[in-house]
Amino acid sequence: MNSEPARDRLVSLLERAAELKELLSGNEAIARGIYEAGVKVAVGYPGTPSTEILENVEKYKEDVYCEWSPNEKVAFEVAAGASLTGARAIVTMKHVGLNVAADPLMTLTYVGAVGGFVAIVADDPGMHSSQNEQDTRQYARFAKIPILEPADSEEARDFLVAGLELSEKFKTPVILRTTTRISHSRTLVQLRERVEHEPQGFKKDPPRFVPIPAWARPMRVRVEERLKAMAPEVCASPMNRIEWAGKELGIIACGVAYQYVKEVFPEASVLKLGWAYPFPDELIRQFAAGVSRLLVVEELDDFVEEHVKSLGIACDGKNFIPNIGELSPMLLRRIRARMEGKELPQTLPVEEASQLPPRPPVLCPSCPHRAVFAALGKFDVVVTGDIGCYSLGVAAPLNRMDTILCMGAGISMAHGMKVAGEKRRVVGMVGDSTFFHSGITGLLDIGYNKSAPVIIILDNRVTAMTGHQENPGSGLTLMGETTWQASIEDFARACGIKRVFAVDPLKYDAFIELLKESFDTPEPTVIISRSPCIVHDHSGLQTVRQVDPDLCRTCKVCLKIGCPALEFTDGHVRINSLMCGGCSLCEQICPFDAISPISEP
Amino acid sequence: MNDCVSVFLTGVGGQGILLASEILSNAAMLAGFDVKTNEIHGMAQRGGTVTAQVRYGQKVYSPLICEGDARVLCAFEMAEAVRAAHYLAPSGLAVVNQYRIIPVTVSSGSSTYPQDIKETLRKRFPRLCYFDATARAAEAGTERAANVVLLGATSVGLDLPEETWLEAIRKTVKPKFIEVNLKAFAAGRAAAQS
Ligand code: SF4
Ligand code: SF4
């Protein structure tokens, strides 16, 4: 490597590589596409695996207005408004977010877009960090609009740009669907420059923009006409292509599954569908006619397969490919073997792995939520929970959350249990971001229809679980401007709740007292547990705690709060000083005063 | 099935696995290869297992590694090495940090950390590079560079030119940490070669 020619070659290689491409995640590539395509407005609500799109758009805030909206419905409508002025606009969310935004989606499909409108929706097959698995392609068919599915980062960027163009050409909203493996895989992308798209401003046109029944009926017809008009385009689009190879087996593949197919079936011809709906019927027919056997490889539903069969074309698909969970190249290898009448053994973890301690995610050391769960553990209560870091309170040793449904349901379901006459005390729990997202209306229901659960709002002023995004309580916008901090107290009172308290749960005994008193009151109570997320706001960090081995009687009461800094090794309770954030919860619950701040040197 | 090189990194949230994966993928890119990586985000980061997969070659399709295909398994924590052992190819190199992070399930008494884990490592990994990367990192200047020490050891099992690694480190880490990370990388490489 030290010889001169080798070094020169290396240097030129390095230079070439550097000028060629960048390694970007799907989310980063989409953010880049938003910038390059001249998008003016980019909004969304955080949700894994979609969150990093807007976080990266923030880099381009000189050119692109970006915001975290309180929820996906609002975000969708903000982007729709922007599109009607002629501006290119996008909205980002995870799959379940589209359920929240389904209402505007189903009518924007009638009203249509002016400036390019793309809803970027990230699915999570395999549920890496989601409460369900749903196939967003069904929404595209439901709403009768195009859906694009990239298979790597470069395509994610390119398809976004293509989606905006399609949207303008056919005056339709478009969905760009990614999955976790597209969003979070990094692959090479060739960067381009930004091309501006100046909006012409809103042009009044009520028959086009106002779906009162008389105008909605012709809009309804236009939706169908639009689908027909797209048919030739979808077959000719470079997003859909046939890669001819052997004629024995032909595979129709979508999204990341295309990559697995190319690796596991190198000899097969492939019809890669990047724009699957409206279905490219002619292309499918042409491909099917050119191969002896047809297989559809798609994650989750049999979306394409069902359609292929409806065209009268025989194919394999979900009879081999599972419709639950995500695919992988390993899974396809086994499927290939099965198709060939063999059985590949599963490569299981080594035997010793079954004896390993599980390592589930847990609340961080010093997370104030822990005190809330520990306190609730003292009462016989039902806790209707919600989605956030605090969902982790469901696990041992805290075991203090009984239900989760969707954002905001922590409040509304508590009301439902109360009006059904549930005998135990009912606690509804949500976070600050979840409260702003869709908890307010549930609280209004409690105030108006007069039930009396205890609602705990875990207020750490940040959307922690998805990586600490700002929310209306943070006092900071995504673009870095200071703003008003929404007051949960004011919201609660405006919803008709009279007993509203804001307390620090780490003042543990007082917190327990407040809970006790609230459970004994025949009125609804809102307790705002106000304490910062320790990972986001280091101001809460205190002196590290230690255990005095002479005073500790190894009753292990402190271990029941599940703090990762508390260890029990070689018969002793110890505190890992590198992890402890000094929240003092263990000190407050130790019955023998064995825990104290370490003495400063 | 194809000639891509696959590397599987595993450890616990907060150990710097994502930075290590970024350096590795930059090194492969600088060497002129096609590269794909995949990382698990989200819930996994609250003290859970974190994994990163890196693949490079003339043309890479799948960002995911098949079990039994990784040329190097780089484990930042001992139990996680065993959990991911089935990803390593039979002839592959296992780089394992001599370091334990006790999960909450152990302190709360619902499970135990295996006492004989070193024997398991020796038994399961015929090509094992097992050492205390945290101590080597501390010698290089900061414990926090343990991830780059492990990367140094990993580099011994791969065929990327040393210069591209150094260039990748310079390109990836913050300027004021370049020196210490270069030292950490060298320490890891030395540990694996000795
Ligand atoms: S990130 Fe913040 S809110 Fe989430 S568990 Fe950690 S300390 Fe708690
Ligand atoms: S060890 Fe005690 S003081 Fe330290 S973070 Fe855990 S509970 Fe809080």
Side-chain angles (χ1 to χ4, degrees), chain A residues 110 207 210-221:
Chain A
Y110 282 32
V210 185
I212 53 171
W215 287 326
R217 288 186 200 109
M219 289 180 186
R220 171 75 188 87
V221 175

Side-chain angles (χ1 to χ4, degrees), chain B residues 18 33 39 43 52 60 62 75 103 112 117 130 134 151 176 179 187:
Chain B
L18 302 187
F33 289 111
E39 290 137 10
M43 279 291 236
V60 183
S62 165
T112 51
I117 194 145
Y130 172 70
T134 318
L151 211 51
K176 63 173 174 175
E179 268 323 299

Side-chain angles (χ1 to χ4, degrees), chain B residues 8-158:
Chain B
F8 195 97
L9 307 165
T10 182
V12 178
Q15 286 194 287
I17 289 165
L18 302 187
L19 181 74
S21 135
E22 210 179 322
I23 294 173
L24 164 52
S25 46
N26 280 337
M29 186 173 77
L30 290 169
F33 289 111
D34 187 17
V35 187
K36 288 192 176 171
T37 75
N38 187 269
E39 290 137 10
I40 284 296
H41 291 226
M43 279 291 236
Q45 289 180 341
R46 303 280 171 275
T49 301
V50 174
T51 62
Q53 317 190 12
V54 180
R55 306 190 70 216
Y56 65 86
Q58 286 314 318
K59 168 77 191 157
V60 183
Y61 287 108
S62 165
L64 296 186
I65 297 177
C66 285
E67 288 87 334
D69 269 4
R71 187 179 291 185
V72 180
L73 168 70
C74 176
F76 289 42
E77 201 273 351
M78 292 148 69
E80 296 314 314
V82 178
R83 220 188 295 278
H86 58 301
Y87 276 95
L88 188 63
S91 60
L93 169 70
V95 173
V96 182
N97 190 9
Q98 188 183 343
Y99 190 68
R100 287 198 311 179
I101 299 178
I102 307 282
V104 171
T105 50
V106 172
S107 9
S108 64
S110 66
S111 63
T112 51
Y113 199 101
Q115 292 304 315
D116 55 355
I117 194 145
K118 281 175 208 171
E119 280 127 65
T120 307
L121 294 173
R122 294 223 164 79
K123 175 166 143 221
R124 288 295 172 183
F125 301 121
R127 280 181 68 207
L128 175 66
C129 168
Y130 172 70
F131 68 105
D132 183 346
T134 318
R136 302 290 170 99
E139 284 161 28
T142 168
E143 285 191 1
R144 298 190 36 200
N147 55 350
V148 176
V149 173
L150 290 164
L151 211 51
T154 298
S155 72
V156 173
L158 301 173

Side-chain angles (χ1 to χ4, degrees), chain A residues 24 32 42 73 75 86 271 286 318 334 387 401 403 422 576 580:
Chain A
L24 301 182
R32 179 71 197 181
K73 177 179 185 293
L271 168 55
Q286 184 200 343
K318 293 299 172 188
R334 282 209 301 282
I387 293 166
M401 193 175 276
T403 69
E422 169 59 39
N576 180 331
C580 172

